[in-house]
């Protein structure tokens, strides 16, 4: 597959490369970044959201579709190749498409590693090999003996997650979640039950640069989730109304870490990049996010990895403290991606960024 994509890339006019993405998630970030680095941009968006992308003026060309799956249509792919387009993947590529075998347009990054995000088993294997600390797992609801979080497969953005503390608790809440339409019966049969790690959540957005041959910390954020609203309701009312808040993501806040914790963050990021080369050639390229919790001992426990730009980096535009320290200019994930593509074109190393 990679050979096929590289053949497509060899047919490109590298002086006229355009940056393309789907209109959602972190598209504004990606498109603005591409423009800041001098690229023309293409945004493939759904009709109901096209006003957003027209309004911000960061898309030189808007392609309206009924659904994002149309990206796999032959005509659209042919158009993108004719335009010398490089696709920048984000959360919606996994959420709405998932399989990229029939997508014969060059993607920035490693499409094989993106598939790891949809399989918690593959991720666990990656963490194990990288010797990363992860939450304890419970194979069956019957084993639940402490506070646990119940999660689904794939990039669901926390939708419908719930907390349980015993097997009976699990069964009761699972039924409620189905009744509330937050998850299907099938999803509940394939859940992941993890020990709930009590601590401070962090989302560390790194960039692995083949051009600079280094791991760069671009931004850190924390999430604003639907459950965060529950703190505004007194405990008495929470109990009286049997409230069921969920972890559905609503937005993000920028964050700076206590400086002495950065060493742990880099250590984990570097080991994850190292192992990525063994599990999916050519390994990590570009944006990735390590999601975890600093526990009571201030140790980083990792519960998820995304091998692509995450939407939390939207809170790091036009820069985060870290990207500013590193670059001394406005730098954010969308722009960092475009910068890497521009430098790689200049140095004749674009092949190394594409899969
Ligand atoms: P959307 O286009 O907003 O539906 O997002 C596409 C996918 O990315 C969904 O699976 C969302 O849950 C996820 N997503 C969107 N925004 C964020 C965010 N700020 N943090 C984490 N996940 C997100
Ligand atoms: P995820 O889909 O894995 O990114 O998780 C979504 C949200 O669930 C996170 O932002 C956290 O608030 C929470 N979460 C997930 N796993 C854990 C865990 N093991 N311990 C504590 N909180 C978690």
């Amino acid at each position: 597959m990679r050979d096929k994509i590289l053949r497509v890339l060899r047919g490109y006019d590298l002086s006229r490369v355009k940056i393309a993405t789907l209109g959602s998630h972190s598209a504004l970030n990606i498109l603005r970044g591409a423009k800041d680095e001098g690229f023309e941009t293409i945004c493939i968006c759904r009709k109901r959201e096209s006003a957003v992308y027209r309004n911000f003026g960061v898309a030189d060309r808007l392609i309206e579709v009924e659904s994002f799956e149309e990206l796999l249509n032959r005509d659209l792919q042919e158009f993108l190749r004719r335009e010398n387009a490089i696709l920048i993947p984000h959360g919606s590529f996994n959420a709405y498409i998932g399989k990229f075998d029939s997508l014969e347009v060059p993607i920035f990054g490693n499409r094989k590693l993106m598939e790891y995000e949809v399989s918690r088993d593959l991720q666990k294997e990656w963490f194990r090999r990288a010797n990363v600390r992860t939450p304890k797992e419970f194979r069956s609801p019957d084993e639940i003996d402490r506070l646990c979080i119940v999660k689904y497969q794939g990039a669901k953005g926390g939708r419908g997650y719930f907390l349980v503390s015993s097997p009976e608790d699990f069964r009761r809440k699972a039924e409620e979640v189905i009744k509330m339409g937050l998850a299907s019966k099938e999803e509940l049969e394939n859940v992941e039950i993890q020990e709930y790690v009590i601590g401070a959540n962090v989302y560390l957005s790194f960039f692995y640069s083949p051009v600079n041959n280094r791991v760069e910390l671009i931004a850190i954020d924390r999430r604003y989730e639907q459950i965060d609203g529950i703190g505004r309701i007194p405990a008495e009312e929470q109990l009286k109304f049997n409230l069921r808040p969920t972890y559905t993501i609503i937005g993000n806040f920028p964050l700076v870490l206590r400086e002495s914790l950065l060493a742990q963050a880099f250590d984990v990021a570097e080991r994850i990049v190292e192992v990525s080369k063994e599990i999916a050639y050519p390994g990590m390229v570009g944006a990735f996010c390590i999601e975890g919790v600093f526990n009571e001992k201030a140790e980083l426990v990792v519960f998820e990895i995304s091998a692509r730009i995450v939407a939390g980096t939207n809170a790091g535009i036009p820069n985060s403290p870290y990207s500013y320290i590193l670059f001394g200019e406005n730098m954010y994930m969308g722009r960092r991606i475009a910068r890497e593509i521009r430098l790689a074109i200049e140095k004749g190393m674009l092949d190394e960024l594409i899969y």
Side-chain angles (χ1 to χ4, degrees), residues 90-156:
H90 53 59
S92 295
F93 282 66
N94 266 340
Y96 301 105
I97 302 173
K99 283 300 253 179
F100 309 109
D101 293 344
S102 62
L103 183 58
E104 294 182 14
V105 178
I107 288 187
F108 172 80
N110 184 335
R111 64 176 82 196
K112 280 277 158 268
L113 287 177
M114 277 190 62
E115 289 174 11
Y116 272 60
E117 181 175 340
V118 200
S119 159
R120 295 202 184 267
D121 284 342
L122 285 174
Q123 281 195 40
K124 268 183 275 177
E125 176 62 10
W126 190 353
F127 293 147
R128 196 189 55 74
R129 289 173 66 164
N131 203 11
V132 169
R133 191 181 283 113
T134 52
K136 185 175 161 57
E137 296 274 333
F138 294 85
R139 246 178 259 129
S140 136
D142 295 327
E143 294 171 10
I144 299 171
D145 65 355
R146 65 191 79 188
L147 187 63
C148 290
I149 183 163
V150 180
K151 309 162 54 152
Y152 311 100
Q153 303 289 331
K156 290 263 180 297

Side-chain angles (χ1 to χ4, degrees), residues 184-322:
S184 66
K185 203 159 177 267
E186 207 185 330
E187 279 175 311
L188 274 150
E189 274 158 18
N190 290 305
V191 289
E192 170 128 331
I193 304 167
Q194 277 182 359
E195 159 193 22
Y196 187 89
V197 184
I198 299 173
N201 287 20
V202 293
Y203 294 79
L204 304 155
S205 278
F206 287 97
F207 188 92
Y208 176 67
S209 162
V211 170
N212 294 338
N213 188 22
R214 67 178 186 191
V215 173
E216 301 170 354
L217 177 60
I218 302 297
I220 308 179
D221 71 283
R222 57 176 283 212
R223 291 180 168 189
Y224 189 40
E225 292 163 338
Q226 194 256 347
I227 191 167
D228 291 317
I230 201 158
R232 298 172 54 84
I233 302 169
E236 192 183 325
E237 277 70 28
Q238 289 184 23
L239 292 173
K240 193 153 91 197
F241 293 102
N242 189 24
L243 297 181
R244 282 274 162 271
T246 83
Y247 291 78
T248 305
I249 181 87
I250 303 300
N252 306 78
F253 304 102
L255 185 75
V256 278
L257 268 195
R258 185 172 153 183
E259 198 156 307
S260 53
L261 298 177
L262 286 177
Q264 278 191 64
F266 272 101
D267 181 44
V268 168
E270 274 159 13
R271 274 186 283 138
I272 281 178
V273 168
E274 226 20 74
V275 171
S276 72
K277 293 177 187 155
E278 296 164 18
I279 58 177
Y281 182 84
M284 189 78 84
V285 172
F288 65 102
C289 182
I290 296 171
E291 313 181 1
V293 176
F294 279 97
N295 67 14
E296 72 282 6
K297 293 191 209 131
E299 298 162 331
L300 179 59
V301 183
V302 176
F303 53 73
E304 190 152 343
I305 180 159
S306 304
R308 52 159 173 91
I309 183 171
V310 297
T313 63
N314 296 346
I317 303 172
N319 57 39
S320 84
Y322 301 110

Side-chain angles (χ1 to χ4, degrees), residues 21-136:
T21 197
L22 297 176
S24 71
H25 189 268
S26 48
L28 293 170
N29 184 344
I30 291 166
L31 299 171
R32 177 74 256 171
K35 297 208 71 70
D36 278 353
E37 292 296 312
F39 288 103
E40 277 192 47
T41 56
I42 300 169
C43 179
I44 300 143
C45 57
R46 294 179 293 204
K47 290 197 175 80
R48 62 174 185 267
E49 288 144 347
S50 63
V52 174
Y53 299 94
R54 195 166 292 115
N55 185 289
F56 282 108
V58 285
D60 295 308
R61 179 102 192 229
L62 275 179
I63 313 277
E64 290 192 351
V65 292
E66 293 296 333
S67 85
F68 286 135
E69 283 156 45
E70 285 177 44
L71 179 62
L72 300 180
N73 288 359
R74 200 188 286 189
D75 291 352
L76 185 48
Q77 292 198 38
E78 234 167 70
F79 166 80
L80 291 169
R81 289 192 291 262
R82 261 201 319 274
E83 294 288 315
N84 305 293
I86 294 180
L87 278 168
I88 314 296
H90 53 59
S92 295
F93 282 66
N94 266 340
Y96 301 105
I97 302 173
K99 283 300 253 179
F100 309 109
D101 293 344
S102 62
L103 183 58
E104 294 182 14
V105 178
I107 288 187
F108 172 80
N110 184 335
R111 64 176 82 196
K112 280 277 158 268
L113 287 177
M114 277 190 62
E115 289 174 11
Y116 272 60
E117 181 175 340
V118 200
S119 159
R120 295 202 184 267
D121 284 342
L122 285 174
Q123 281 195 40
K124 268 183 275 177
E125 176 62 10
W126 190 353
F127 293 147
R128 196 189 55 74
R129 289 173 66 164
N131 203 11
V132 169
R133 191 181 283 113
T134 52
K136 185 175 161 57

